[in-house]
Amino acid sequence: MSVLNDLRVPILCAPMAGGPSTPELAAAVTNAGGLGSIAAGYLSPEDFDQVLTQTRELTDLFNANIFVPETVRPDTDDLKRYATALGEAFGKTIDVPEFNDDHFYDKIDIVLEHAPAVVTFTFGLPDTAVIQRVQANGSHVGVTVTSTAEAVASVEAGADFLIVQSTEAGGHLSVHRQDQAVTPTVLPVLVQEVRSKVSVPLVAAGGIGTVRQGQRALDAGAHAVSIGTRFLTATEAGTKPSHAHALVSGEFSSTVQTRAFSGRIARGLANTFTTTMEPEQIVGYPHVHYMTSPIRKAHANDPQMLNLWAGTGFTHCVTQTASHIVCEFSALRVDRRHG
């Protein structure tokens, strides 16, 4: 795949929805030799269109990432029970919202208009017809996968490349069925397993905090690596100050995979919220995300109440520019036989 082959540094800045991904961050990563990303998740179509326009003014190469609508809908009674538990724990009245698809088809139309070099999908596998439309418009298509079964299905649907995400990754784990049980797998092993089943290029994602960790993933068969948590503390990122501080403060010692904030499995720093709601957590995306949103907004400066997404490599975070991070990973070397 020419876009990945042409990168001076074989890294992709992971798309980080909810604020951290900014045009400035995407451009800084690309302009330093990697591939920057814009996350469409939670943006209105109008804001997504504006962000892509701003990014295009700063760089001519970037990835636009879109959430695939959930195929598994949460149980209504589970949602009501979780709303009650949230209300009792935090003294708020919590309503159960309606399902929404994050304006999926509107966002497809927007990427067709902007034609970014790369379009990636998270949380599932879009219809083959959607993939073909995006490809026919000139964009390379990547799908995030967490297993060999998802990888094979994505290639059969027409994906140009795969982002292979291990359970070490920060933020949401992109299982294609949100109710699926997940077996912990270290990234190099998962890359080897997927490489044995498919021949398209692979981007390895999950817990990469150092060049050594990235190189292990490349040696296992990846063509590039995806780094998210390290970029949360880049000066160009739009990460909440309380979140960024938590990553570098030394006050948090461990991460946990939890459904407590969104109803989907996601890895973040263990805090009061995750401990309080762990016994009540349910399969419930995107409803739970919107149910906990008012609580998170009301406590925006309290890291004990926020979704502090972080991968297992978070202890390597420092406050620095994105270009310094890309430069650090310029030591990575790719075996061009992979992909």
Side-chain angles (χ1 to χ4, degrees), residues 15 19 31 42 55-56 58 63 103 107 125 129 134 151 168 175 212 219 229 232 257 265 332 337:
N31 295 341
Y42 311 126
T55 306
R56 181 72 74 186
L58 299 173
N63 160 44
H103 307 284
K107 290 176 179 179
L125 178 60
V134 175
E168 301 151 298
V175 289
R212 184 177 181 182
D219 293 343
T229 305
L232 284 171
Q257 282 194 308
I265 295 174
L332 292 173
R337 291 173 298 178

Side-chain angles (χ1 to χ4, degrees), residues 73 139 160 186 219 274 304 318:
R73 302 296 173 87
S139 301
D160 295 305
V186 295
D219 293 343
T274 61
Q304 293 296 337
V318 295

Side-chain angles (χ1 to χ4, degrees), residues 5-320:
N5 286 338
D6 293 343
L7 297 178
R8 298 197 309 275
V9 183
I11 68 170
L12 182 152
C13 177
M16 297 175 286
S21 289
T22 64
E24 292 76 16
L25 177 60
V29 172
T30 292
N31 295 341
L35 178 63
S37 295
I38 291 297
Y42 311 126
L43 294 178
S44 69
E46 295 76 17
D47 286 345
F48 182 43
D49 180 66
Q50 182 179 14
V51 167
L52 292 186
T53 298
Q54 293 170 343
T55 306
R56 181 72 74 186
E57 293 172 352
L58 299 173
T59 187
D60 59 358
L61 178 66
F62 57 91
N63 160 44
N65 177 261
I66 298 175
F67 288 169
V68 177
E70 295 294 339
T71 56
V72 174
R73 302 296 173 87
D75 180 83
T76 301
D77 289 338
D78 284 348
L79 291 171
K80 290 178 180 178
R81 283 193 294 270
Y82 198 70
T84 299
L86 282 170
E88 292 175 348
F90 302 111
K92 288 183 174 292
T93 299
I94 305 295
D95 296 322
V96 177
E98 297 294 324
F99 173 81
N100 76 74
D101 67 357
D102 199 45
H103 307 284
F104 179 74
Y105 288 102
D106 289 336
K107 290 176 179 179
I108 292 297
D109 289 340
I110 290 168
V111 295
L112 291 175
E113 178 182 347
H114 287 269
V118 177
V119 175
T120 57
F121 294 95
T122 298
F123 293 173
L125 178 60
D127 291 341
T128 298
V130 170
I131 293 175
Q132 291 175 342
R133 285 181 66 202
V134 175
Q135 290 169 326
N137 198 52
S139 301
H140 295 281
V141 171
V143 176
T144 308
V145 302
T146 63
S147 67
T148 56
E150 292 175 354
V152 170
S154 298
V155 172
E156 291 176 346
D160 295 305
F161 71 101
L162 304 177
I163 300 168
V164 180
Q165 184 194 42
S166 77
T167 53
E168 301 151 298
H172 287 103
L173 189 66
S174 188
V175 289
H176 290 189
R177 286 182 56 96
Q178 65 167 312
D179 61 344
Q180 179 181 330
V182 177
T183 302
T185 309
V186 295
L187 184 58
V189 171
L190 182 60
V191 170
Q192 288 176 334
E193 291 175 351
V194 173
R195 170 54 65 214
S196 71
K197 298 294 185 180
V198 302
S199 59
V200 300
L202 307 180
V203 177
I208 297 175
T210 67
V211 172
R212 184 177 181 182
Q213 291 169 331
Q215 191 61 55
R216 287 174 179 166
L218 294 178
D219 293 343
H223 201 277
V225 299
S226 175
I227 299 173
T229 305
R230 286 288 306 270
F231 283 110
L232 284 171
T233 53
T235 55
E236 299 90 345
T239 312
K240 291 182 181 69
S242 51
H243 185 178
H245 177 72
L247 290 167
V248 300
S249 66
E251 298 171 11
F252 294 84
S253 60
S254 63
T255 63
V256 61
Q257 282 194 308
T258 181
R259 296 182 186 270
F261 286 106
S262 73
R264 247 189 178 274
I265 295 174
R267 183 177 294 279
L269 300 179
N271 60 7
T272 299
F273 191 100
T274 61
T275 300
T276 301
M277 298 310 299
E278 181 179 4
E280 309 292 341
Q281 60 186 320
I282 62 169
V283 174
Y285 189 86
H287 305 73
V288 172
H289 165 80
Y290 293 105
M291 289 159 61
T292 64
S293 179
I295 299 171
R296 290 180 278 125
K297 287 179 180 178
H299 298 274
N301 296 318
D302 183 358
Q304 293 296 337
M305 298 293 287
L306 298 179
N307 51 319
L308 303 174
W309 298 149
T312 55
F314 80 94
T315 56
H316 300 286
C317 285
V318 295
T319 303
Q320 60 189 150

